[in-house]
Amino acid sequence: MTKAEIVEQIYEQVGFSKKESAELVETVFETIKQTLSMGEKVKISGFGNFVVRPKNARKGRNPQTGQEILLEARRVLTFKPSLVLKNILNDEPVDSSMLAAENRD
Amino acid sequence: MTKSGLIEAVAEKTPHISKKDTEIVVNTIFDSMTQALKKGERIEIRGFGSFQVKIREAREGRNPKTGEPVHISAKRTPFFKVGKELKEMVDNVPPEAVQPNSARELA
């Protein structure tokens, strides 16, 4: 599935024009990206949480040459899937208490 | 930011579309992504990242409280791989500052 196919779903299911659907899908992902780039997490209930985590500097090695290198401290993005999403993928029951549990901060 | 915060922010940027409609759109996006993953499809959002379902093999685990061995059956788990653009945005490194073959690339 690509962004174009998501746009197609919006067009078919919600009834916006293709142009509006594309604009909306674009704005949704842009907004998530901007929020994450400020270091703020994005929690999509029923889907999962996108969280920015700091990583400390550490020594690494170039796997090809074996040369030691310093990996600088950086920030990485992690995704923690919702229990609801995991259960759907495994044909397991989903109930509202799961949503309540993950919506707690 | 929660899903309702996201809806709010998107609605502000698209004043010609009602908040109610924005909510439907946001829900439809994540529902259609969930359905794609359910079908075992890979999702690729350029500039954002990709989602893929991987199978975790069945294994013998242990109940940490009692120490009793338990069987854990195979499971489908969603994985996210961050895209290049978002990865750089999150780390606040302008793309032009990233040298090819730098330590960052190898990480």
Side-chain angles (χ1 to χ4, degrees):
Chain A
M1 171 176 259
T2 60
K3 199 151 65 182
E5 287 168 57
I6 297 176
V7 170
E8 194 66 29
Q9 292 290 316
I10 302 296
Y11 169 71
E12 283 172 15
Q13 293 183 35
V14 191
F16 282 119
S17 71
K18 287 211 174 165
K19 189 170 171 284
E20 280 173 322
S21 304
E23 183 197 349
L24 281 161
V25 171
E26 198 59 47
T27 308
V28 168
F29 286 108
E30 271 312 309
T31 305
I32 297 175
K33 279 160 73 173
Q34 281 162 16
T35 306
L36 292 171
S37 70
M38 290 185 294
E40 197 187 323
K41 62 182 158 194
V42 176
K43 309 200 301 179
I44 309 295
S45 141
F47 190 79
N49 298 347
F50 297 91
V51 185
V52 178
R53 291 189 189 286
K55 281 220 168 188
N56 289 329
R58 63 182 173 90
K59 276 189 189 151
R61 226 173 250 284
N62 179 330
Q64 255 151 45
T65 64
Q67 200 190 353
E68 218 174 70
I69 45 179
L70 179 72
L71 300 171
E72 285 165 51
R74 61 210 160 95
R75 299 199 299 176
V76 296
L77 177 60
T78 58
F79 173 67
K80 187 171 184 284
S82 153
L83 186 58
V84 173
L85 176 61
K86 289 200 279 187
N87 280 8
I88 290 173
L89 296 182
N90 290 289
D91 299 312
E92 278 164 32
V94 169
D95 67 69
S96 54
S97 68
M98 290 172 186
L99 281 177
E102 65 186 23
N103 288 344
R104 255 180 260 131
D105 212 345
Chain B
M1 176 182 266
T2 60
K3 192 163 77 178
S4 54
L6 174 64
I7 292 162
E8 201 86 40
V10 172
E12 266 175 43
K13 291 180 193 169
T14 54
H16 52 295
I17 288 158
S18 77
K19 205 170 115 183
K20 182 81 201 130
D21 280 343
T22 308
E23 182 177 355
I24 294 169
V25 167
V26 169
N27 285 330
T28 307
I29 290 174
F30 290 104
D31 285 350
S32 64
M33 288 168 75
T34 300
Q35 288 315 309
L37 291 174
K38 172 90 183 147
K39 285 187 271 177
E41 259 182 66
R42 190 182 121 95
I43 304 171
E44 188 173 341
I45 314 290
R46 196 122 353 133
F48 188 81
S50 59
F51 298 86
Q52 200 173 1
V53 177
K54 291 185 186 171
I55 295 177
R56 285 231 163 108
E57 300 287 337
R59 62 191 170 88
E60 297 307 318
R62 217 169 259 285
N63 178 332
K65 261 190 202 139
T66 64
E68 235 174 279
V70 282
H71 178 74
I72 300 168
S73 43
K75 263 196 176 81
R76 282 188 282 264
T77 312
F79 278 91
F80 173 69
K81 186 171 185 286
V82 63
K84 193 166 184 282
E85 189 196 337
L86 181 55
K87 186 177 178 179
E88 284 162 4
M89 277 172 85
V90 162
D91 202 15
N92 277 335
V93 179
E96 60 271 24
V98 178
Q99 302 287 317
N101 286 329
S102 69
R104 197 174 294 282
E105 287 283 310
L106 291 169

